[in-house]
Amino acid sequence: MPGTGLVCLVVGIGLSPVLAYLLTSSVETRVASFIVGEKDSWNSGAMMIALSNPKGWQRVSEDRQLVEANRDRIAACQKVALDQEKRRNPVSSLFRQSRNSR
């Protein structure tokens, strides 16, 4: 019955895109993570980005390290900027602050 196996293979290949389209996004990311061989969707995405654009991924990694190393300074700078904005335009800064806290 080699014909049955071939028919099942063709039907499976034909149905795969349809089933993938019908899956919810959380299931899609789990399936992609499984296929790529990473433990979660974050690491799968990082791996795929690193493979498709190594220079861009290197820059993202370096930028993340820069932000992590200067997190306290960045927070202090944001606070000073917000305080200055509050003094200049109290209504506008309140609106901006409430939007950012969501």
Side-chain angles (χ1 to χ4, degrees):
M1 294 270 220
T4 305
L6 184 60
V7 169
C8 290
L9 177 67
V10 170
V11 169
I13 290 172
L15 286 177
S16 294
V18 174
L19 293 175
Y21 176 77
L22 296 174
L23 293 174
T24 64
S25 64
S26 64
V27 174
E28 282 177 348
T29 57
R30 282 191 226 130
V31 170
S33 295
F34 175 76
I35 291 170
V36 175
E38 291 292 329
K39 61 183 175 193
D40 58 22
S41 58
W42 180 266
N43 290 325
S44 298
M47 187 194 80
M48 289 187 281
I49 292 169
L51 288 174
S52 68
N53 186 353
K55 289 182 181 178
W57 181 249
Q58 180 64 32
R59 184 165 179 193
V60 167
S61 296
E62 290 168 356
D63 291 349
R64 182 191 58 79
Q65 291 171 0
L66 181 66
V67 169
E68 287 296 322
N70 294 290
R71 186 168 297 282
D72 295 339
R73 291 181 186 135
I74 293 169
C77 187
Q78 288 174 329
K79 184 178 181 327
V80 168
L82 183 60
D83 290 344
Q84 288 176 351
E85 180 67 23
K86 282 180 185 177
R87 277 185 252 129
R88 259 189 264 139
N89 192 351
V91 175
S92 173
S93 66
L94 279 174
F95 177 70
R96 188 174 296 128
Q97 186 178 14
S98 68
R99 274 190 11 195
N100 291 339
S101 63
R102 287 185 202 164

Coordinates of all heavy atoms in Angstrom, one line a residue:
M1 N 0.8 -1.2 0.0 CA 0.0 0.0 0.0 C 0.9 1.3 0.0 O 0.6 2.2 0.8 CB -0.9 0.0 1.2 CG -1.9 -1.1 1.2 SD -3.3 -0.4 0.4 CE -4.7 -0.9 1.3
P2 N 1.9 1.4 -0.8 CA 2.7 2.6 -0.8 C 1.9 3.8 -1.3 O 2.1 4.9 -1.0 CB 3.8 2.3 -1.8 CG 3.6 0.9 -2.3 CD 2.4 0.4 -1.7
G3 N 0.8 3.5 -2.1 CA 0.0 4.6 -2.6 C -0.8 5.4 -1.4 O -0.9 6.6 -1.5
T4 N -1.2 4.6 -0.4 CA -1.9 5.2 0.7 C -0.9 6.2 1.5 O -1.3 7.3 1.8 CB -2.3 4.1 1.7 OG1 -3.1 3.2 1.0 CG2 -3.1 4.7 2.8
G5 N 0.3 5.8 1.7 CA 1.3 6.7 2.4 C 1.5 7.9 1.6 O 1.6 9.0 2.1
L6 N 1.6 7.8 0.3 CA 1.8 9.0 -0.6 C 0.6 9.9 -0.5 O 0.8 11.1 -0.5 CB 2.1 8.5 -2.0 CG 2.5 9.6 -3.0 CD1 3.7 10.3 -2.5 CD2 2.7 9.0 -4.4
V7 N -0.6 9.4 -0.6 CA -1.8 10.2 -0.5 C -1.8 10.9 0.8 O -2.1 12.1 0.9 CB -3.1 9.3 -0.7 CG1 -4.3 10.1 -0.4 CG2 -3.1 8.8 -2.1
C8 N -1.5 10.2 1.9 CA -1.5 10.9 3.2 C -0.5 12.0 3.3 O -0.8 13.0 3.9 CB -1.3 9.8 4.3 SG -2.7 8.7 4.6
L9 N 0.7 11.7 2.7 CA 1.7 12.8 2.7 C 1.2 14.0 2.0 O 1.4 15.1 2.4 CB 3.0 12.2 2.1 CG 4.1 13.2 1.9 CD1 4.6 13.6 3.3 CD2 5.2 12.6 1.1
V10 N 0.7 13.8 0.8 CA 0.2 14.9 0.0 C -0.9 15.7 0.7 O -0.9 16.9 0.8 CB -0.3 14.4 -1.4 CG1 -1.0 15.5 -2.2 CG2 0.9 13.9 -2.2
V11 N -1.9 15.0 1.3 CA -3.0 15.6 2.0 C -2.4 16.4 3.2 O -2.8 17.5 3.5 CB -4.0 14.6 2.5 CG1 -5.0 15.2 3.5 CG2 -4.8 14.0 1.3
G12 N -1.5 15.8 4.0 CA -0.9 16.4 5.1 C -0.1 17.7 4.7 O -0.3 18.8 5.4
I13 N 0.6 17.7 3.6 CA 1.3 18.9 3.1 C 0.3 19.9 2.7 O 0.5 21.1 2.9 CB 2.3 18.5 2.0 CG1 3.5 17.7 2.6 CG2 2.8 19.7 1.3 CD1 4.4 17.1 1.6
G14 N -0.8 19.5 2.1 CA -1.8 20.4 1.6 C -2.6 21.1 2.7 O -2.9 22.2 2.7
L15 N -2.8 20.3 3.8 CA -3.6 20.8 4.9 C -2.7 21.7 5.9 O -3.3 22.5 6.6 CB -4.2 19.7 5.7 CG -5.4 19.1 5.0 CD1 -6.0 17.9 5.9 CD2 -6.5 20.1 4.8
S16 N -1.4 21.5 5.9 CA -0.6 22.2 6.8 C -0.7 23.7 6.8 O -0.9 24.3 7.9 CB 0.9 21.8 6.6 OG 1.1 20.5 6.9
P17 N -0.7 24.4 5.6 CA -0.9 25.8 5.6 C -2.2 26.2 6.1 O -2.4 27.3 6.8 CB -0.7 26.2 4.2 CG 0.0 25.1 3.5 CD -0.4 23.9 4.3
V18 N -3.3 25.5 5.8 CA -4.6 25.8 6.3 C -4.7 25.7 7.8 O -5.2 26.6 8.5 CB -5.7 24.9 5.6 CG1 -7.1 25.2 6.1 CG2 -5.6 25.1 4.1
L19 N -4.2 24.6 8.3 CA -4.2 24.5 9.8 C -3.4 25.5 10.5 O -3.8 26.0 11.5 CB -3.8 23.0 10.2 CG -4.7 21.9 9.7 CD1 -4.0 20.6 10.0 CD2 -6.0 22.0 10.4
A20 N -2.2 25.8 9.9 CA -1.4 26.9 10.5 C -2.1 28.2 10.5 O -2.0 29.0 11.5 CB -0.1 27.0 9.8
Y21 N -2.9 28.5 9.5 CA -3.6 29.8 9.4 C -4.7 29.8 10.5 O -5.0 30.9 11.0 CB -4.2 29.9 8.0 CG -5.1 31.1 7.8 CD1 -4.5 32.4 7.7 CD2 -6.5 31.0 7.9 CE1 -5.3 33.5 7.5 CE2 -7.3 32.1 7.7 CZ -6.7 33.4 7.6 OH -7.5 34.5 7.4
L22 N -5.3 28.7 10.8 CA -6.4 28.6 11.7 C -5.9 28.6 13.2 O -6.7 28.9 14.1 CB -7.3 27.4 11.5 CG -8.0 27.4 10.1 CD1 -8.7 26.0 9.9 CD2 -9.0 28.5 10.0
L23 N -4.7 28.3 13.5 CA -4.2 28.3 14.8 C -4.2 29.7 15.5 O -4.0 30.7 14.8 CB -2.8 27.7 14.9 CG -2.6 26.3 14.5 CD1 -1.1 25.9 14.4 CD2 -3.3 25.4 15.5
T24 N -4.4 29.7 16.8 CA -4.2 31.0 17.5 C -2.8 31.4 17.5 O -1.9 30.5 17.4 CB -4.8 30.9 18.9 OG1 -4.0 30.0 19.6 CG2 -6.3 30.5 18.9
S25 N -2.5 32.6 17.8 CA -1.1 33.1 17.7 C -0.3 32.4 18.8 O 0.9 32.2 18.6 CB -1.0 34.6 17.8 OG -1.5 35.0 19.1
S26 N -0.8 32.1 20.0 CA 0.0 31.5 21.0 C 0.4 30.1 20.6 O 1.5 29.6 20.9 CB -0.8 31.5 22.3 OG -2.0 30.7 22.2
V27 N -0.5 29.4 19.9 CA -0.2 28.0 19.5 C 0.9 28.1 18.3 O 1.8 27.4 18.3 CB -1.4 27.3 19.0 CG1 -1.0 25.9 18.4 CG2 -2.4 27.1 20.1
E28 N 0.7 29.2 17.5 CA 1.6 29.3 16.4 C 3.1 29.5 16.9 O 4.0 28.9 16.4 CB 1.3 30.6 15.5 CG 0.2 30.4 14.6 CD -0.2 31.7 13.9 OE1 0.3 32.8 14.3 OE2 -0.9 31.7 12.9
T29 N 3.2 30.4 17.9 CA 4.5 30.6 18.4 C 5.1 29.4 19.1 O 6.3 29.2 19.0 CB 4.5 31.8 19.4 OG1 3.6 31.6 20.4 CG2 4.2 33.1 18.7
R30 N 4.3 28.6 19.7 CA 4.8 27.4 20.4 C 5.3 26.4 19.3 O 6.3 25.7 19.5 CB 3.7 26.8 21.2 CG 3.6 27.5 22.6 CD 2.7 26.7 23.5 NE 1.8 27.6 24.1 CZ 0.5 27.5 24.2 NH1 -0.1 26.4 23.8 NH2 -0.2 28.5 24.8
V31 N 4.5 26.3 18.2 CA 4.9 25.4 17.1 C 6.2 25.9 16.5 O 7.1 25.1 16.2 CB 3.7 25.3 16.1 CG1 4.2 24.6 14.8 CG2 2.5 24.6 16.7
A32 N 6.3 27.2 16.3 CA 7.5 27.8 15.7 C 8.7 27.5 16.6 O 9.8 27.1 16.1 CB 7.3 29.2 15.4
S33 N 8.5 27.7 17.9 CA 9.6 27.4 18.8 C 10.0 26.0 18.8 O 11.2 25.7 18.9 CB 9.2 27.8 20.3 OG 8.9 29.2 20.3
F34 N 9.1 25.1 18.7 CA 9.4 23.7 18.6 C 10.2 23.4 17.4 O 11.2 22.6 17.4 CB 8.1 22.8 18.7 CG 8.3 21.4 18.5 CD1 8.8 20.6 19.5 CD2 8.0 20.8 17.3 CE1 9.0 19.2 19.3 CE2 8.2 19.4 17.1 CZ 8.7 18.7 18.1
I35 N 9.7 23.9 16.2 CA 10.4 23.7 15.0 C 11.8 24.2 15.0 O 12.7 23.5 14.5 CB 9.6 24.3 13.8 CG1 8.3 23.5 13.6 CG2 10.4 24.2 12.5 CD1 7.3 24.1 12.7
V36 N 12.0 25.4 15.5 CA 13.3 26.0 15.5 C 14.2 25.4 16.6 O 15.4 25.4 16.5 CB 13.1 27.6 15.8 CG1 14.5 28.2 16.0 CG2 12.4 28.2 14.7
G37 N 13.6 24.8 17.6 CA 14.4 24.1 18.6 C 14.7 25.0 19.8 O 15.6 24.6 20.6
E38 N 14.0 26.1 20.0 CA 14.3 26.9 21.2 C 13.2 26.7 22.2 O 12.2 26.1 21.9 CB 14.3 28.4 20.7 CG 15.5 28.8 19.9 CD 16.8 28.7 20.6 OE1 16.9 29.0 21.9 OE2 17.8 28.4 20.0
K39 N 13.5 27.1 23.4 CA 12.6 26.8 24.5 C 11.4 27.7 24.6 O 10.4 27.3 25.2 CB 13.3 26.9 25.9 CG 13.9 28.3 26.2 CD 14.7 28.3 27.5 CE 15.3 29.6 27.7 NZ 16.3 29.7 28.7
D40 N 11.4 28.9 24.0 CA 10.2 29.8 24.0 C 10.3 30.7 22.7 O 11.2 30.7 22.0 CB 10.2 30.6 25.3 CG 11.4 31.5 25.5 OD1 12.1 31.8 24.5 OD2 11.7 31.8 26.6
S41 N 9.2 31.4 22.6 CA 9.0 32.2 21.4 C 10.0 33.4 21.4 O 10.5 33.8 20.3 CB 7.6 32.8 21.2 OG 7.2 33.5 22.3
W42 N 10.4 33.9 22.5 CA 11.4 35.0 22.6 C 12.7 34.5 22.0 O 13.3 35.2 21.2 CB 11.5 35.5 24.0 CG 12.5 36.6 24.2 CD1 13.8 36.5 24.5 CD2 12.3 38.0 24.0 NE1 14.4 37.7 24.5 CE2 13.5 38.7 24.2 CE3 11.1 38.7 23.6 CZ2 13.6 40.0 24.1 CZ3 11.2 40.1 23.5 CH2 12.5 40.7 23.7
N43 N 13.2 33.4 22.5 CA 14.5 32.9 22.0 C 14.4 32.4 20.6 O 15.4 32.6 19.8 CB 15.0 31.7 22.9 CG 15.4 32.2 24.3 OD1 15.9 33.3 24.4 ND2 15.1 31.4 25.3
S44 N 13.3 31.9 20.2 CA 13.1 31.5 18.8 C 13.2 32.8 17.9 O 13.9 32.7 16.8 CB 11.8 30.9 18.5 OG 11.7 29.7 19.3
G45 N 12.5 33.8 18.2 CA 12.6 35.1 17.5 C 14.0 35.6 17.4 O 14.4 36.1 16.4
A46 N 14.6 35.6 18.6 CA 16.0 36.2 18.6 C 16.9 35.4 17.7 O 17.7 35.9 17.0 CB 16.5 36.1 20.1
M47 N 16.8 34.0 17.7 CA 17.6 33.2 16.9 C 17.3 33.5 15.4 O 18.3 33.6 14.6 CB 17.4 31.7 17.2 CG 18.4 30.8 16.4 SD 17.9 29.1 16.4 CE 16.7 29.1 15.1
M48 N 16.0 33.6 15.0 CA 15.7 33.8 13.6 C 16.2 35.2 13.2 O 16.7 35.4 12.0 CB 14.2 33.7 13.4 CG 13.8 32.2 13.5 SD 12.0 32.0 13.0 CE 11.2 32.5 14.5
I49 N 16.1 36.2 14.0 CA 16.6 37.6 13.7 C 18.1 37.5 13.5 O 18.7 38.1 12.6 CB 16.2 38.6 14.7 CG1 14.7 38.8 14.7 CG2 16.9 39.9 14.5 CD1 14.2 39.6 15.9
A50 N 18.8 36.8 14.5 CA 20.2 36.7 14.4 C 20.7 36.0 13.1 O 21.7 36.4 12.5 CB 20.8 36.0 15.6
L51 N 20.0 35.1 12.7 CA 20.3 34.3 11.4 C 20.1 35.2 10.2 O 20.8 35.2 9.3 CB 19.6 33.0 11.4 CG 20.0 31.9 12.3 CD1 19.1 30.7 12.2 CD2 21.5 31.5 12.0
S52 N 19.0 35.9 10.2 CA 18.6 36.6 9.0 C 19.3 38.0 8.9 O 19.5 38.5 7.8 CB 17.1 36.9 8.9 OG 16.7 37.7 9.9
N53 N 19.7 38.6 10.0 CA 20.4 39.9 10.0 C 21.4 39.9 11.1 O 21.2 40.6 12.1 CB 19.4 41.0 10.1 CG 20.0 42.3 9.9 OD1 21.2 42.5 9.9 ND2 19.1 43.4 9.9
P54 N 22.6 39.2 11.0 CA 23.5 39.2 12.0 C 24.1 40.5 12.5 O 24.2 40.8 13.7 CB 24.7 38.3 11.5 CG 24.1 37.6 10.3 CD 23.0 38.4 9.8
K55 N 24.3 41.4 11.6 CA 24.8 42.8 12.0 C 23.8 43.5 12.8 O 24.1 44.2 13.8 CB 25.3 43.6 10.8 CG 26.5 43.0 10.2 CD 27.0 43.9 9.0 CE 28.3 43.3 8.4 NZ 28.7 44.1 7.2
G56 N 22.5 43.5 12.3 CA 21.4 44.1 13.0 C 21.2 43.6 14.4 O 21.0 44.3 15.4
W57 N 21.3 42.2 14.5 CA 21.1 41.6 15.8 C 22.2 42.0 16.7 O 22.0 42.2 17.9 CB 21.0 40.1 15.7 CG 20.8 39.4 17.0 CD1 21.6 38.7 17.7 CD2 19.6 39.6 17.8 NE1 21.1 38.3 18.9 CE2 19.9 38.9 19.0 CE3 18.4 40.3 17.7 CZ2 18.9 38.8 20.0 CZ3 17.5 40.2 18.7 CH2 17.8 39.5 19.9
Q58 N 23.5 42.0 16.2 CA 24.6 42.4 17.0 C 24.4 43.8 17.6 O 24.6 44.1 18.8 CB 25.9 42.4 16.2 CG 27.1 42.8 17.0 CD 27.5 41.8 18.1 OE1 27.2 40.6 18.0 NE2 28.0 42.3 19.2
R59 N 23.9 44.7 16.8 CA 23.6 46.1 17.2 C 22.5 46.1 18.3 O 22.6 46.8 19.3 CB 23.2 47.0 16.1 CG 23.0 48.4 16.5 CD 23.0 49.3 15.3 NE 22.8 50.7 15.9 CZ 22.4 51.7 15.2 NH1 22.3 51.6 13.9 NH2 22.2 52.9 15.7
V60 N 21.5 45.3 18.1 CA 20.4 45.3 19.1 C 21.0 44.7 20.4 O 20.7 45.3 21.5 CB 19.3 44.3 18.6 CG1 18.3 44.0 19.8 CG2 18.5 45.0 17.5
S61 N 21.8 43.7 20.4 CA 22.4 43.2 21.6 C 23.3 44.2 22.3 O 23.3 44.3 23.5 CB 23.3 41.9 21.2 OG 22.4 40.9 20.7
E62 N 24.1 44.9 21.5 CA 25.0 45.9 22.1 C 24.2 47.1 22.7 O 24.5 47.6 23.8 CB 26.0 46.5 21.0 CG 27.0 45.4 20.6 CD 27.8 45.8 19.4 OE1 27.5 46.9 18.8 OE2 28.7 45.1 19.0
D63 N 23.1 47.5 22.0 CA 22.3 48.6 22.5 C 21.6 48.1 23.8 O 21.5 48.9 24.8 CB 21.2 49.0 21.5 CG 21.8 49.6 20.3 OD1 23.0 50.0 20.3 OD2 21.1 49.8 19.3
R64 N 21.2 46.9 23.9 CA 20.5 46.4 25.1 C 21.5 46.4 26.3 O 21.2 46.8 27.4 CB 20.0 45.0 24.9 CG 19.3 44.4 26.2 CD 19.0 42.9 26.1 NE 20.2 42.1 25.8 CZ 21.0 41.8 26.8 NH1 20.9 42.1 28.0 NH2 22.1 41.0 26.5
Q65 N 22.8 46.0 26.0 CA 23.8 46.0 27.1 C 24.1 47.5 27.5 O 24.3 47.7 28.7 CB 25.1 45.4 26.5 CG 24.9 43.9 26.3 CD 26.1 43.3 25.6 OE1 27.1 44.0 25.3 NE2 26.1 42.0 25.4
L66 N 24.1 48.4 26.6 CA 24.3 49.8 26.9 C 23.2 50.3 27.8 O 23.5 51.0 28.8 CB 24.4 50.6 25.6 CG 24.7 52.1 25.8 CD1 26.1 52.3 26.4 CD2 24.6 52.8 24.5
V67 N 22.0 50.0 27.5 CA 20.8 50.4 28.3 C 20.9 49.8 29.7 O 20.7 50.5 30.7 CB 19.5 50.1 27.6 CG1 18.3 50.3 28.5 CG2 19.3 51.0 26.3
E68 N 21.2 48.5 29.7 CA 21.2 47.8 31.0 C 22.3 48.4 31.9 O 22.1 48.6 33.1 CB 21.5 46.3 30.8 CG 20.3 45.6 30.3 CD 19.1 45.5 31.3 OE1 19.3 45.4 32.5 OE2 18.0 45.6 30.8
A69 N 23.5 48.7 31.3 CA 24.6 49.3 32.1 C 24.3 50.7 32.6 O 24.9 51.1 33.6 CB 25.8 49.3 31.2
N70 N 23.4 51.4 31.9 CA 23.1 52.8 32.3 C 21.7 53.0 32.7 O 21.2 54.1 32.7 CB 23.4 53.7 31.1 CG 24.9 53.7 30.8 OD1 25.7 54.2 31.6 ND2 25.3 53.0 29.7
R71 N 21.0 52.0 33.2 CA 19.6 52.0 33.6 C 19.3 53.1 34.6 O 18.4 53.9 34.5 CB 19.1 50.7 34.1 CG 17.6 50.7 34.4 CD 17.1 49.3 34.6 NE 17.2 48.4 33.5 CZ 16.4 48.4 32.4 NH1 15.4 49.3 32.3 NH2 16.6 47.6 31.4
D72 N 20.2 53.2 35.6 CA 20.0 54.3 36.7 C 20.1 55.7 36.1 O 19.3 56.6 36.4 CB 21.0 54.1 37.8 CG 20.7 52.7 38.6 OD1 19.6 52.2 38.5 OD2 21.7 52.3 39.2
R73 N 21.1 55.9 35.3 CA 21.3 57.2 34.7 C 20.2 57.6 33.7 O 19.8 58.7 33.7 CB 22.6 57.2 33.9 CG 23.9 57.1 34.8 CD 25.1 57.2 34.0 NE 26.3 57.0 34.8 CZ 27.3 56.2 34.5 NH1 27.3 55.5 33.4 NH2 28.3 56.0 35.3
I74 N 19.7 56.6 33.0 CA 18.6 56.9 32.1 C 17.3 57.2 32.9 O 16.6 58.2 32.5 CB 18.3 55.7 31.2 CG1 19.5 55.5 30.2 CG2 17.0 55.8 30.4 CD1 19.5 54.2 29.4
A75 N 17.1 56.5 34.0 CA 15.9 56.8 34.8 C 16.0 58.2 35.4 O 15.0 59.0 35.5 CB 15.7 55.8 35.9
A76 N 17.2 58.6 35.9 CA 17.4 59.9 36.4 C 17.2 61.0 35.4 O 16.6 62.0 35.7 CB 18.8 60.0 37.0
C77 N 17.7 60.8 34.2 CA 17.5 61.7 33.1 C 16.0 61.9 32.7 O 15.6 63.0 32.5 CB 18.3 61.3 31.9 SG 18.4 62.4 30.6
Q78 N 15.3 60.8 32.7 CA 13.9 60.8 32.4 C 13.1 61.6 33.5 O 12.2 62.4 33.1 CB 13.3 59.4 32.3 CG 13.7 58.7 31.0 CD 13.3 57.2 31.0 OE1 13.2 56.6 32.1 NE2 13.0 56.7 29.8
K79 N 13.5 61.4 34.7 CA 12.9 62.1 35.8 C 13.1 63.6 35.7 O 12.2 64.4 35.8 CB 13.4 61.6 37.1 CG 12.7 62.2 38.3 CD 13.2 61.6 39.6 CE 12.5 62.2 40.9 NZ 12.1 63.6 40.9
V80 N 14.4 64.0 35.4 CA 14.7 65.5 35.2 C 13.9 66.0 34.1 O 13.3 67.1 34.2 CB 16.2 65.7 35.0 CG1 16.5 67.1 34.6 CG2 17.0 65.3 36.3
A81 N 13.9 65.3 33.0 CA 13.1 65.8 31.8 C 11.6 66.0 32.1 O 11.0 67.0 31.7 CB 13.3 64.9 30.6
L82 N 11.1 65.0 32.8 CA 9.6 65.1 33.2 C 9.4 66.2 34.1 O 8.4 67.0 34.0 CB 9.2 63.8 33.8 CG 7.7 63.7 34.2 CD1 6.8 63.8 32.9 CD2 7.4 62.3 34.9
D83 N 10.3 66.4 35.1 CA 10.1 67.6 36.1 C 10.2 68.9 35.3 O 9.4 69.8 35.6 CB 11.2 67.5 37.1 CG 11.0 66.4 38.1 OD1 9.9 65.8 38.1 OD2 12.0 66.0 38.8
Q84 N 11.1 69.0 34.4 CA 11.2 70.3 33.6 C 9.9 70.5 32.8 O 9.4 71.6 32.6 CB 12.4 70.2 32.7 CG 13.7 70.4 33.5 CD 14.9 70.3 32.6 OE1 14.8 69.9 31.4 NE2 16.1 70.6 33.1
E85 N 9.4 69.4 32.2 CA 8.2 69.5 31.4 C 7.0 69.9 32.2 O 6.2 70.7 31.8 CB 7.9 68.2 30.7 CG 6.7 68.2 29.8 CD 6.8 69.1 28.6 OE1 7.9 69.4 28.1 OE2 5.8 69.5 28.1
K86 N 6.9 69.4 33.4 CA 5.9 69.7 34.4 C 5.9 71.2 34.7 O 4.8 71.9 34.8 CB 6.0 68.9 35.7 CG 5.5 67.5 35.6 CD 5.6 66.8 36.9 CE 5.3 65.4 36.9 NZ 5.5 64.7 38.1
R87 N 7.1 71.8 34.9 CA 7.2 73.2 35.2 C 6.8 74.1 34.0 O 6.2 75.1 34.1 CB 8.6 73.5 35.7 CG 8.8 73.2 37.1 CD 10.1 73.7 37.6 NE 10.9 72.4 37.9 CZ 12.1 72.2 37.4 NH1 12.7 73.0 36.7 NH2 12.6 71.0 37.6
R88 N 7.2 73.6 32.8 CA 6.9 74.4 31.6 C 5.4 74.3 31.2 O 4.8 75.3 30.8 CB 7.7 73.9 30.4 CG 8.9 74.8 30.2 CD 9.6 74.4 28.9 NE 10.7 73.5 29.3 CZ 11.1 72.4 28.7 NH1 10.5 72.1 27.6 NH2 12.1 71.7 29.1
N89 N 4.8 73.1 31.2 CA 3.5 72.9 30.8 C 2.8 71.9 31.6 O 2.8 70.7 31.2 CB 3.5 72.5 29.3 CG 2.1 72.6 28.6 OD1 1.1 72.8 29.3 ND2 2.1 72.4 27.3
P90 N 2.2 72.2 32.7 CA 1.7 71.3 33.7 C 0.6 70.4 33.1 O 0.5 69.2 33.3 CB 1.1 72.1 34.8 CG 1.6 73.5 34.6 CD 2.1 73.6 33.2
V91 N -0.3 70.9 32.3 CA -1.4 70.1 31.7 C -0.9 69.1 30.7 O -1.3 67.9 30.8 CB -2.5 71.1 31.1 CG1 -3.6 70.3 30.4 CG2 -3.1 72.0 32.1
S92 N -0.1 69.5 29.8 CA 0.5 68.6 28.8 C 1.3 67.5 29.5 O 1.2 66.3 29.1 CB 1.4 69.4 27.8 OG 2.0 68.5 27.0
S93 N 2.1 67.8 30.5 CA 2.9 66.7 31.1 C 2.0 65.8 31.9 O 2.3 64.6 31.9 CB 4.0 67.4 32.0 OG 3.4 68.0 33.1
L94 N 0.9 66.2 32.5 CA 0.0 65.3 33.2 C -0.6 64.3 32.2 O -0.7 63.1 32.4 CB -1.1 66.1 33.9 CG -0.7 66.7 35.2 CD1 -1.9 67.5 35.7 CD2 -0.3 65.6 36.2
F95 N -1.0 64.8 31.0 CA -1.6 64.0 30.0 C -0.5 62.9 29.5 O -0.8 61.8 29.4 CB -2.1 64.8 28.8 CG -2.6 64.0 27.7 CD1 -3.8 63.3 27.8 CD2 -1.9 63.9 26.5 CE1 -4.3 62.6 26.8 CE2 -2.4 63.1 25.4 CZ -3.6 62.5 25.6
R96 N 0.7 63.4 29.2 CA 1.7 62.5 28.8 C 2.1 61.4 29.8 O 2.3 60.3 29.5 CB 3.0 63.3 28.4 CG 4.0 62.4 27.7 CD 5.2 63.3 27.2 NE 4.8 64.2 26.2 CZ 5.1 65.5 26.3 NH1 5.8 66.0 27.2 NH2 4.6 66.3 25.3
Q97 N 2.1 61.9 31.1 CA 2.5 60.9 32.2 C 1.4 59.9 32.3 O 1.7 58.7 32.5 CB 2.7 61.7 33.5 CG 3.1 60.8 34.6 CD 3.4 61.6 35.9 OE1 2.9 62.8 36.0 NE2 4.0 61.0 36.8
S98 N 0.1 60.3 32.2 CA -1.0 59.3 32.3 C -1.0 58.3 31.2 O -1.3 57.1 31.3 CB -2.3 60.0 32.5 OG -2.7 60.6 31.3
R99 N -0.6 58.8 30.0 CA -0.6 57.9 28.8 C 0.6 56.9 29.0 O 0.4 55.7 28.6 CB -0.4 58.7 27.5 CG -1.6 59.1 26.9 CD -1.5 59.7 25.6 NE -0.2 59.5 25.0 CZ 0.2 60.1 23.9 NH1 -0.5 61.0 23.4 NH2 1.4 59.8 23.4
N100 N 1.7 57.3 29.5 CA 2.9 56.4 29.6 C 2.7 55.4 30.7 O 3.3 54.4 30.8 CB 4.1 57.2 29.9 CG 4.5 58.0 28.7 OD1 4.2 57.7 27.6 ND2 5.3 59.0 28.9
S101 N 1.8 55.6 31.7 CA 1.7 54.7 32.8 C 0.7 53.6 32.5 O 0.5 52.7 33.3 CB 1.2 55.5 34.1 OG -0.1 56.1 33.8
R102 N 0.1 53.6 31.4 CA -0.8 52.5 31.0 C -0.1 51.2 30.8 O 0.9 51.0 30.4 CB -1.6 52.8 29.8 CG -2.6 53.9 30.0 CD -3.4 54.1 28.8 NE -4.1 55.4 28.9 CZ -4.6 56.0 27.9 NH1 -4.6 55.5 26.7 NH2 -5.1 57.2 28.0

